[in-house]
Amino acid sequence: MSGYDRRLVEHLLPAVWDVEAAYGIRNLQAPDADMPKGTVDKKAAGILFAHLADIRHAWMTAPLSLGERQALILRYGADIHDDEAGALQGVTGRAARYRCERGVGKLAAWLNGHEYVDGYDEVSEGAA
């Protein structure tokens, strides 16, 4: 399946560690709650939970380094700032941020069935 970009992966990552976070994630294909008669694309309306299942599966199987996994947990699981996450990992805040960026890129590439290269982004990949 294609179509996972960094933005979507970052948006869904907190639900890997907090199942209740899924209830707070806005389904972009569904109408707003205050617009019950709004129209949606019925083919894409139920895709949010498929994305959540995919992101959890990617977390377990994508080829992430230990440092990248730690950085992603601290950032998206515990909502810890880069400088503090870096201190906990024994690296700089910049290194922790870089680990997060690589981790998100690797997850997006894995979800799209591509090999990861530095700076991977499905949107720019499709434009080439």
Side-chain angles (χ1 to χ4, degrees), residues 55-98:
I55 198 80
R56 286 190 180 120
H57 185 257
W59 171 254
M60 293 185 292
T61 56
L64 299 170
S65 71
L66 177 61
E68 291 162 349
R69 288 187 185 277
Q70 290 172 341
L72 290 171
I73 289 170
L74 291 171
R75 173 65 184 100
Y76 297 100
D79 196 26
I80 293 177
H81 189 270
D82 294 334
D83 293 330
E84 188 177 351
L88 290 169
Q89 289 186 282
V91 297
T92 64
R94 184 176 177 185
R97 186 170 39 258
Y98 178 71

Side-chain angles (χ1 to χ4, degrees), residues 3-127:
Y4 287 92
D5 60 7
R6 287 179 175 275
R7 183 190 58 81
L8 181 59
V9 171
E10 290 173 340
H11 185 64
L12 299 176
L13 263 173
V16 170
W17 302 282
D18 181 8
V19 258
E20 293 182 4
Y23 296 107
I25 295 176
R26 184 176 183 285
N27 185 353
L28 301 176
Q29 284 79 27
D32 290 335
D34 61 346
M35 301 291 290
K37 292 186 179 186
T39 60
V40 296
D41 178 6
K42 293 187 191 263
K43 292 179 186 173
I47 204 162
L48 174 64
F49 291 104
H51 283 324
L52 291 172
D54 286 348
I55 198 80
R56 286 190 180 120
H57 185 257
W59 171 254
M60 293 185 292
T61 56
L64 299 170
S65 71
L66 177 61
E68 291 162 349
R69 288 187 185 277
Q70 290 172 341
L72 290 171
I73 289 170
L74 291 171
R75 173 65 184 100
Y76 297 100
D79 196 26
I80 293 177
H81 189 270
D82 294 334
D83 293 330
E84 188 177 351
L88 290 169
Q89 289 186 282
V91 297
T92 64
R94 184 176 177 185
R97 186 170 39 258
Y98 178 71
R99 288 176 174 182
C100 279
E101 288 174 11
R102 281 184 56 90
V104 168
K106 284 182 178 182
L107 288 171
W110 188 91
L111 285 162
N112 290 313
H114 298 136
E115 255 332 286
Y116 174 77
V117 292
D118 276 341
Y120 177 86
D121 187 5
E122 176 62 20
V123 174
S124 63
E125 185 82 13

